[in-house]
Amino acid sequence: MSSITKHHSSARFSAETFAENIGGIHGNKSLIENCIEVTNRNPRNLERLLIARKPQGYHLEKQFRNFWHKLQVSPFQRYVVVEIVHFQNGPVITVSSNEWALKKLLYRKYDSMAYIALGQVLAQRCLESGINEIYYDESPNSKVSLLLKELEKNNIILREPDRYIHPYPWSLFRPEKPWETHE
């Protein structure tokens, strides 16, 4: 027998010895039994599955609060600030024409080209952070409509989908579950 075959024959293990040498390979059953708490590392997961609650508010309130992410445009005298606001956590994404990189490219920080540039930058930041749908409820003026067109051009939907509500067993209409895909 050559030295190569001797080396390979001595390296064989049974399944039990292999598991002991690795350091305790085990199944998921033991992990579930020993689990004390679960931490959701993606708090937006329920929103993406369309099952998270949206705040209803009261019907006499002036501001409508039935959204997860809302677009807010704040024009100031010399610049413009556009924010995506989460209903619970406040501003998530903020773009301003007063930022150094945008300020250097714009002739004026409050004209129509500033709104178009803000729309492009906001759409890029939204897609990078995973926000595809936002809520916008106000009637846009001419400059804000340029911003909204730029967002739509860059695949941002300006209407949030409805929340999935589990139907009653006797319901005639059964909506498709957002977490199931049918091909």
Side-chain angles (χ1 to χ4, degrees):
M1 199 186 266
S2 72
S3 63
I4 296 174
T5 55
K6 284 182 187 176
H7 178 52
H8 284 296
S9 63
S10 65
R12 292 187 185 147
F13 295 109
S14 67
E16 293 83 27
T17 1
F18 184 75
E20 291 171 0
N21 289 338
I22 294 295
I25 295 178
H26 47 77
N28 288 338
K29 185 177 179 184
S30 62
L31 289 174
I32 293 171
E33 290 171 354
N34 297 330
C35 182
I36 297 171
E37 69 179 28
V38 177
T39 304
N40 184 7
R41 291 173 50 186
N42 184 3
R44 292 192 52 237
N45 189 29
L46 296 177
E47 294 173 7
R48 299 295 298 154
L49 289 173
L50 304 179
I51 55 178
R53 294 199 179 271
K54 288 184 180 182
Q56 294 295 320
Y58 295 102
H59 66 281
L60 295 176
E61 285 182 328
K62 185 176 180 181
Q63 285 187 330
F64 184 67
R65 291 191 302 167
N66 197 5
F67 60 86
W68 287 308
H69 295 98
K70 182 179 181 179
L71 176 70
Q72 285 186 346
V73 181
S74 306
F76 294 101
Q77 192 169 7
R78 299 231 177 228
Y79 61 97
V80 182
V81 176
V82 182
E83 294 178 330
I84 304 289
V85 178
H86 190 265
F87 76 95
Q88 200 172 24
N89 300 333
V92 179
I93 301 171
T94 304
V95 180
S96 173
S97 61
N98 213 16
E99 292 178 8
W100 184 83
L102 284 173
K103 187 177 12 176
K104 293 297 176 187
L105 294 175
L106 298 172
Y107 182 68
R108 286 197 183 111
K109 296 183 282 185
Y110 52 88
D111 63 348
S112 59
M113 282 308 294
Y115 279 86
I116 292 173
L118 287 174
Q120 291 173 351
V121 173
L122 182 68
Q124 179 185 359
R125 290 182 186 177
C126 283
L127 292 175
E128 286 173 355
S129 64
I131 298 174
N132 299 330
E133 300 101 5
I134 54 178
Y135 173 75
Y136 186 71
D137 62 342
E138 301 168 12
S139 58
N141 60 18
S142 61
K143 290 181 182 178
V144 175
S145 64
L146 292 172
L147 174 98
L148 297 177
K149 285 179 189 174
E150 200 61 40
L151 287 173
E152 288 175 345
K153 196 185 300 181
N154 290 308
N155 299 326
I156 301 294
I157 301 168
L158 294 175
R159 189 183 84 73
E160 284 188 333
D162 294 329
R163 187 177 151 252
Y164 174 77
I165 299 174
H166 188 70
Y168 293 112
W170 57 84
S171 295
L172 183 62
F173 176 68
R174 298 208 174 259
E176 183 180 346
K177 296 176 183 171
W179 57 86
E180 292 180 356
T181 57
H182 302 286
E183 293 181 14

